[in-house]
Amino acid sequence: MNSSLVGNQSGRPFCLLAISYLETINFCLLEVVIIVFLMVLIISGNIIVIFVFHCAPLLNHHTTSYFIQTMAYADLLVGVSCLVPSLSLLHYPIVLSESLVCQIFGYVVSVLKSVSMASLACISIDRYIAITKPLTYNTLVTPWRLRICILTIWLYSCLVFLPSFHWGKPGYHGDVFQWCASSWNTDPYFTLFIVVMLYAPAAFIVCFTYFNIFRICQQHTKEINERRVRFSSQDGEAGEAQPCPDKRYAMVLFRITSVFYILWLPYIIYFLLESSNVYSNRVASFLTTWLAISNSFCNCVIYSLSNSVFQKGLKRLSGAICASCARPRVAKDSSTSRSKRSSNGCHV
């Protein structure tokens, strides 16, 4: 049996949610169900998002599509990485030592989380530039600068969490392993380092940009409506209120950002409390961690429900899949009908 699963001398596996353990199956049932369920949703959802972006060229007209696709790839890798704890909980043997697997898994998921967080901050900056400097936007935001920005996000995320191998636990992603829960402790200085280098700047950028975006959109909407009312009164026609054209797309991105921080907030709060030795609980550790990881699937749902172009691309993709599945059946039916007509001369 894997040493990470041995919680005591009786051979019972290490289960953070003790209520889920059953003697008949001898593994942590509830943990396995939660992790495998999230893994399937995250992988399938983000694969669909990636395919839709490739099938819908109109989605790539927005520069934010670069960051959305970066988030989709990062979220897809989060789902793939969830395979490690699920296999461990199911007693599959792990070649490397438990401590190394725990550290690598925690580091990888933390890096991917950082990529998503930094991408959301870059999306808000992109929309802020588009609204505040619309005439020079195309010269400021170019494809090669976007690629450099995305590369910088990945490199920065890898560097920020690199000290975790020596300094302390970057989060609670590996707590399905007993060594992670009992031997790998958080360091308050490392926690402060992550907050200063990642959490605080990203949150500040998002709050600042979206606050100004909606303020500017509200001002533009007011000016447009005043002009429309003025000209319609001269023509004797009633004018209808017109919203800011950029506000609807900004709202989609704002929903994605809001859900991200809502799901990650319990994790961040618990991370700070545990690091400062104020509160520590293994059940809370597991639940806050996997609630935050579930955000990797929520991005797919929000974008598919909020963006009309994405919905058209999704319909196009599903139609192409259905058509490819129907071709063999049509060919088979046509060959069958031809054989029947040749045998008895009947027409269907």
Side-chain angles (χ1 to χ4, degrees):
M1 183 183 293
N2 189 346
S3 60
S4 68
L5 299 171
V6 179
N8 49 41
Q9 296 180 351
S10 63
R12 289 184 59 173
F14 172 71
C15 298
L16 287 170
L17 305 176
I19 57 174
S20 64
Y21 176 72
L22 295 177
E23 296 283 351
T24 55
I25 57 177
N26 197 34
F27 64 80
C28 308
L29 178 62
L30 190 53
E31 285 93 331
V32 171
V33 170
I34 292 174
I35 295 175
V36 172
F37 179 69
L38 287 177
M39 181 180 67
V40 172
L41 288 181
I42 292 170
I43 292 176
S44 59
N46 285 284
I47 287 177
I48 292 173
V49 169
I50 293 169
F51 273 108
V52 168
F53 268 96
H54 286 287
C55 294
L58 288 176
L59 286 171
N60 294 318
H61 289 179
H62 292 285
T63 54
T64 51
S65 65
Y66 286 84
F67 298 109
I68 295 291
Q69 291 180 70
T70 300
M71 291 175 58
Y73 281 109
D75 291 336
L76 176 62
L77 292 176
V78 169
V80 174
S81 65
C82 292
L83 186 64
V84 176
S86 61
L87 290 178
S88 176
L89 288 169
L90 289 170
H91 299 189
Y92 278 80
I94 297 178
V95 179
L96 301 176
S97 64
E98 178 188 349
S99 59
L100 183 59
V101 172
C102 172
Q103 288 178 320
I104 292 175
F105 178 67
Y107 171 77
V108 169
V109 178
S110 297
V111 168
L112 297 174
K113 167 200 67 180
S114 176
V115 170
S116 295
M117 192 174 294
S119 297
L120 289 172
C122 290
I123 287 173
S124 64
I125 294 174
D126 175 81
R127 290 298 88 199
Y128 179 76
I129 296 174
I131 291 178
T132 56
K133 298 180 179 181
L135 299 179
T136 58
Y137 174 79
N138 291 330
T139 58
L140 292 174
V141 182
T142 58
W144 70 269
R145 287 182 179 177
L146 289 172
R147 294 187 182 97
I148 291 176
C149 182
I150 291 171
L151 180 61
T152 304
I153 288 173
W154 282 96
L155 291 176
Y156 183 79
S157 301
C158 292
L159 291 175
V160 164
F161 287 97
L162 196 59
S164 63
F165 289 96
H166 175 72
W167 210 344
K169 182 163 56 176
Y172 304 91
H173 308 292
D175 277 355
V176 292
F177 303 101
Q178 187 175 3
W179 186 87
C180 288
S182 58
S183 302
W184 198 21
N185 299 319
T186 55
D187 187 285
Y189 295 103
F190 185 45
T191 303
L192 180 62
F193 173 78
I194 295 175
V195 170
V196 172
M197 299 299 293
L198 180 62
Y199 294 157
F204 174 78
I205 290 173
V206 167
C207 292
F208 174 81
T209 52
Y210 278 114
F211 173 79
N212 284 278
I213 285 171
F214 290 120
R215 182 178 59 83
I216 294 171
C217 281
Q218 187 176 10
Q219 183 179 356
H220 286 179
T221 302
K222 183 178 179 181
E223 292 175 356
I224 292 172
N225 291 336
E226 288 177 353
R227 292 175 184 176
R228 185 175 293 274
V229 169
R230 189 183 305 118
F231 286 110
S232 61
S233 61
Q234 294 176 358
D235 297 336
E237 297 178 358
E240 297 180 358
Q242 296 293 327
C244 176
D246 294 316
K247 188 174 182 180
R248 180 176 298 178
Y249 190 64
M251 280 299 299
V252 176
L253 303 174
F254 179 72
R255 292 190 193 104
I256 294 176
T257 306
S258 300
V259 171
F260 179 90
Y261 279 97
I262 289 172
L263 294 178
W264 278 98
L265 187 60
Y267 166 86
I268 295 174
I269 292 175
Y270 182 80
F271 183 42
L272 297 174
L273 293 177
E274 203 277 341
S275 301
S276 57
N277 296 322
V278 175
Y279 177 75
S280 179
N281 183 277
R282 290 180 176 179
V283 176
S285 168
F286 181 87
L287 294 178
T288 55
T289 295
W290 294 98
L291 176 66
I293 290 178
S294 68
N295 174 78
S296 297
F297 172 70
C298 293
N299 292 337
C300 313
V301 177
I302 297 171
Y303 206 74
S304 61
L305 294 178
S306 303
N307 191 287
S308 58
V309 179
F310 185 91
Q311 292 172 3
K312 293 178 181 177
L314 185 60
K315 291 179 180 178
R316 179 181 175 183
L317 176 63
S318 59
I321 294 174
C322 293
S324 62
C325 294
R327 285 194 200 102
R329 184 178 300 175
V330 172
K332 183 178 179 180
D333 292 341
S334 61
S335 62
T336 304
S337 61
R338 283 197 300 268
S339 62
K340 287 183 178 180
R341 284 195 296 267
S342 61
S343 61
N344 54 21
C346 297
H347 296 278
V348 180

